[in-house]
Amino acid sequence: MQKPSLFALFAALGAASGCSSRMGQVEAGGKEGAVSFDRIVEAVGKQDAIVFEGEGGSKVLVSPRYQGRIMTTRVGKVESVGFVSTDEIAEGEVHESFNNFGGQDRFWLGPEAGQFGIYFPAGVELKRDLWKVPPDFNRGPFTVVEKTPRKARFAREMSVTNYTGTRFKAKVEREVGLIPSERLKDELKVALPRGVSYAGSYSDNSLANAGDRRWDKETGLINIWILGQFAPGSRAVIIAPFKPGDGPAYRDEMYFGKVPADRLKLLGNAVLFRADARKEGKFGMPQARTSGVAGSFDFEKNLLVVVKFDVPTDPALYGNSAWVKVQPDPYSGDLFQTYNSDASSGKPPGRYAFFELESVSPSRELAPGESVRHRQATFCFQGDYQALNGLAREVLGVDLDDVKKAMF
């Protein structure tokens, strides 16, 4: 079943709130506005903002108030790698369904829909106007447990109920911090080349059963869901390498329908997908096919973004978020997902112009006190095109000249 448009939801929320006509961070189609890193810090609130000082003038912004999310990164000549909606921040936590403040690494729980989904009240129709992000990670701060110049740790207790009425009491712990360039050899098996500015960050997340009953797959399981929202570009491309194997390398029809051929293409063992915020679309990769890394390249900014996420060695269960009431296999979901919004309309245009790079943890049966972990890291490189092309070949297995030829 095709999932209703999230962009339509965003537009409806914006109209209902009487939102201002300011553009937020980006204009329709992904053109950068004038919002600087410092302006985003001001919007978040200097008393709340945690700013990590990276290498070569790079900075990473984290907000405890907005659920401990990594808001954005400044690297090289790019003021904001992440998408941040300063309009939404100015309005405050006024949307019961979804406060879309943005952020290049935010914490959610899954699955979204199906009999074990947690974004719809029990028994209702799976319709856009009834979709709702559970309050415990839609509003309210995460508690700061520790803060140093290079990392911060947060915690929050949560309660969610799935579509069949099973309630989960959970404790979430989340650590975010910097990844220095000397760790690139361990993380990505590369060294930082000359002529390239760099900033790296990570989130390491834990979801524990804080209740008094075992979480059982027969009554539903929940999982960690890390979503990164990034500023789009008219010449930006998502790059998702995959491993050889059985079954489809990627799946798109189960989300928003099949992505048009001019917007999604195969290049060797990688999927290319436009990241321009001009047409809504999404695809995912199952555990058996994802390589554990994905990324994007913006040919106008000479900006390479790489995300690296945990992929268990042994096969695991992954929550299925397809919008149907009863799924034949509720644990056949994708480990990696990526989404491109459509910001060509809405009030105001461009308010929700972004693309996403997402990953999820396994859905595990947990006894009280047991937990599951999931880490996602984001590496931002900006500068000399040829040096970036070398990084793209080593990390993502593609030549950027071939990407450009295929997509433009």
Side-chain angles (χ1 to χ4, degrees):
M1 178 179 178
Q2 181 173 334
K3 178 179 174 180
S5 168
L6 282 180
F7 173 73
L9 171 65
F10 300 156
L13 291 174
S17 67
C19 63
S20 72
S21 61
R22 291 181 291 116
M23 295 300 293
Q25 182 182 331
V26 291
E27 299 173 1
K31 182 179 178 181
E32 268 199 317
V35 180
S36 67
F37 183 91
D38 291 340
R39 171 68 185 90
I40 295 172
V41 172
E42 291 180 3
V44 169
K46 290 184 178 180
Q47 291 183 336
D48 173 68
I50 298 174
V51 178
F52 295 130
E53 303 283 347
E55 304 167 36
S58 68
K59 295 184 178 184
V60 175
L61 171 62
V62 177
S63 172
R65 177 183 177 186
Y66 298 123
Q67 299 82 51
R69 74 186 71 190
I70 301 173
M71 301 298 292
T72 192
T73 294
R74 182 171 78 181
V75 60
K77 296 180 180 180
V78 176
E79 283 289 314
S80 182
V81 175
F83 166 81
V84 180
S85 177
T86 54
D87 280 339
E88 199 100 344
I89 289 172
E91 291 171 6
E93 295 178 327
V94 298
H95 303 303
E96 289 190 5
S97 293
F98 179 26
N99 292 300
N100 188 29
F101 302 120
Q104 72 179 47
D105 185 310
R106 77 176 188 269
F107 182 95
W108 271 12
L109 295 175
E112 188 173 14
Q115 61 266 48
F116 300 141
I118 60 174
Y119 291 72
F120 291 93
V124 304
E125 290 294 319
L126 304 187
K127 300 192 301 183
R128 174 187 54 77
D129 56 351
L130 297 178
W131 178 89
K132 182 179 179 181
V133 180
D136 283 354
F137 51 92
N138 186 47
R139 58 179 58 183
F142 277 29
T143 300
V144 179
V145 177
E146 178 188 11
K147 183 172 68 173
T148 76
R150 299 176 70 92
K151 70 177 183 181
R153 292 195 300 117
F154 307 97
R156 182 163 178 174
E157 293 187 354
M158 297 183 180
S159 177
V160 297
T161 302
N162 70 16
Y163 191 70
T164 57
T166 302
R167 182 172 175 267
F168 299 86
K169 185 177 180 181
K171 181 177 181 180
V172 171
E173 295 181 343
R174 174 171 165 87
E175 179 180 295
V176 301
L178 296 179
I179 302 176
S181 59
E182 58 262 29
R183 285 185 52 195
L184 285 172
K185 283 192 174 293
D186 295 328
E187 294 275 355
L188 299 178
K189 312 302 181 188
V190 298
L192 182 64
R194 291 186 178 182
V196 173
S197 297
Y198 163 76
S201 59
Y202 70 92
S203 73
D204 191 352
N205 307 272
S206 172
L207 171 66
N209 181 348
D212 56 7
R213 68 163 189 88
R214 180 180 178 84
W215 295 353
D216 185 272
K217 67 179 183 180
E218 299 303 321
T219 54
L221 302 172
I222 57 177
N223 59 267
I224 298 167
W225 186 5
I226 303 301
L227 305 94
Q229 291 188 329
F230 297 89
S234 60
R235 293 172 64 81
V237 181
I238 293 162
I239 304 165
F242 56 85
K243 299 185 298 186
D246 297 328
Y250 70 93
R251 301 184 283 195
D252 54 354
E253 294 182 359
M254 64 184 286
Y255 295 107
F256 297 95
K258 191 166 184 61
V259 178
D262 64 327
R263 301 188 61 81
L264 187 151
K265 299 182 180 181
L266 294 180
L267 178 63
N269 287 335
V271 181
L272 308 181
F273 183 36
R274 289 184 185 269
D276 55 7
R278 288 177 175 165
K279 184 175 178 57
E280 185 175 55
K282 182 170 184 173
F283 75 85
M285 284 185 178
Q287 177 190 5
R289 301 306 301 273
T290 181
S291 66
V293 296
S296 65
F297 190 80
D298 191 317
F299 287 91
E300 292 182 342
K301 301 174 186 176
N302 275 359
L303 173 66
L304 174 66
V305 174
V306 174
V307 294
K308 177 187 175 185
F309 40 88
D310 287 344
V311 180
T313 303
D314 296 327
L317 305 177
Y318 284 88
N320 190 337
S321 287
W323 280 30
V324 294
K325 279 191 172 184
V326 178
Q327 299 164 350
D329 187 352
Y331 301 109
S332 61
D334 292 322
L335 190 160
F336 168 75
Q337 303 160 44
T338 182
Y339 171 80
N340 183 64
S341 73
D342 181 350
S344 60
S345 61
K347 298 179 180 181
R351 184 179 174 91
Y352 301 110
F354 60 88
F355 69 91
E356 290 184 329
L357 300 172
E358 317 168 11
S359 66
V360 301
S361 76
S363 299
R364 297 201 188 280
E365 295 184 306
L366 300 176
E370 292 182 336
S371 63
V372 61
R373 304 192 69 88
H374 187 70
R375 181 181 187 267
Q376 180 163 307
T378 305
F379 307 88
C380 307
F381 305 92
Q382 196 278 325
D384 179 75
Y385 176 80
Q386 293 303 328
L388 295 172
N389 198 9
L391 287 174
R393 287 195 297 266
E394 289 186 77
V395 178
L396 299 176
V398 297
D399 188 291
L400 294 178
D401 291 340
D402 294 336
V403 173
K404 183 191 299 184
K405 183 179 179 180
M407 300 302 289
F408 307 112

